[in-house]
Amino acid sequence: MTKYIKEENINDKVMIEISNAVKEGKIIVFKTDTVYGIGTNAFDEEACKKVYVIKGRPPQKPLCVLISDISMLKKMVDDISPTEKKLMDAFWPGPLTIKFKKKENVLPGIISAGDKFVRVRLLKDGLAYNLIKAAGVPIVAPSANLSGNPTRINIKNIIKELHGKVDYILDSGNVRYDTTSTIVEIDKEKAIIIREGKIKKEEIAKVITLTD
């Protein structure tokens, strides 16, 4: 059964309840810094598998991981290159997802679709940030829609599509735009734009060189 909560009704007591649910591997729909996401504890393999099942997401598509501070990133990755650091300094916190080489045996392989990387974004405020900070764990957060369907900006459509499939829906109202984060990978000190979203490639090109 899905528990529905409006954001204005999330007080300290409710936040403790929701953050504990995240740590326990419950599935939460919440507004991120871009669109609504389906989130859970990124360290919990079974919970991450549930996200794939709920969305009908192909296993070859990796999940983005949201963090509230850099210490969470350091638990997941061995090294941050100078070029990656440039991107972090320029665009974090913000809607830029960076692909880092992950540490071994820390994150479930499923969230990386079997490769050696993890896709991470740092938040700075808002409900998602507060939830991650309270839970004390990074959260996976693909968009809150069934795979193949449009990214939802109307909360009523999200509720219609996902009610009964997830444990919590946190209602922060409608989203103005359906633009997702930009995803970038660094290769030989140059940026590969995997997906262009809120941050445009021209902005990234001002900071580091793009691949041809």
Side-chain angles (χ1 to χ4, degrees):
M1 184 175 175
T2 300
K3 189 167 183 178
Y4 169 83
I5 305 173
K6 285 202 165 224
E7 183 176 356
E8 57 261 36
N9 295 327
I10 300 176
N11 53 28
D12 290 345
K13 182 180 177 182
V14 176
M15 180 58 77
I16 290 170
E17 174 191 339
I18 301 165
S19 61
N20 283 338
V22 166
K23 282 189 281 190
E24 292 166 6
K26 301 296 185 185
I27 312 299
I28 319 286
V29 169
F30 59 94
K31 185 180 177 298
T32 72
D33 57 334
T34 54
V35 295
Y36 275 87
I38 300 179
T40 194
N41 184 346
F43 294 134
D44 188 324
E45 183 172 12
E46 291 306 312
C48 292
K49 285 180 181 176
K50 286 181 191 174
V51 171
Y52 275 91
V53 171
I54 290 166
K55 278 183 65 72
R57 188 178 181 88
Q60 65 270 25
K61 291 188 72 173
L63 301 177
C64 171
V65 177
L66 304 182
I67 59 173
S68 60
D69 60 72
I70 297 299
S71 66
M72 287 184 176
L73 176 68
K74 291 178 178 177
K75 289 177 183 177
M76 297 187 288
V77 306
D78 276 320
D79 184 52
I80 300 169
S81 73
T83 310
E84 289 165 346
K85 183 70 166 56
K86 277 186 184 179
L87 282 177
M88 291 163 61
D89 290 343
F91 299 107
W92 275 14
L96 182 72
T97 299
I98 304 174
K99 188 175 170 181
F100 297 93
K101 189 171 182 182
K102 66 179 182 179
K103 284 184 179 178
E104 291 187 11
N105 304 317
V106 174
L107 293 163
I110 188 172
I111 72 170
S112 302
D115 71 18
K116 297 179 180 180
F117 298 90
V118 59
R119 295 141 185 85
V120 185
R121 187 159 91 251
L122 175 68
L123 307 185
K124 67 173 179 177
D125 53 28
L127 177 61
Y129 169 84
N130 292 332
L131 180 58
I132 295 164
K133 189 174 180 182
V137 294
I139 295 179
V140 296
S143 58
N145 59 295
L146 302 183
S147 288
N149 289 352
T151 302
R152 304 298 186 186
I153 61 174
N154 187 304
I155 186 63
K156 288 183 179 178
N157 291 334
I158 293 170
I159 293 168
K160 184 177 180 181
E161 196 164 48
L162 295 173
H163 195 278
K165 296 182 174 72
V166 299
D167 297 295
Y168 287 82
I169 292 178
L170 310 182
D171 180 356
S172 299
N174 296 336
V175 177
R176 184 174 293 183
Y177 304 108
D178 64 355
T179 311
T180 53
S181 71
T182 297
I183 303 176
V184 173
E185 177 182 0
I186 301 303
D187 182 45
K188 298 175 183 175
E189 300 183 8
K190 293 184 178 182
I192 301 168
I193 309 294
I194 297 172
R195 180 183 74 191
E196 188 173 18
K198 274 197 169 185
I199 296 175
K200 302 305 176 188
K201 63 182 181 181
E202 292 81 7
E203 297 175 72
I204 294 169
K206 291 176 183 177
V207 177
I208 58 173
T209 305
L210 302 183
T211 53
D212 298 331

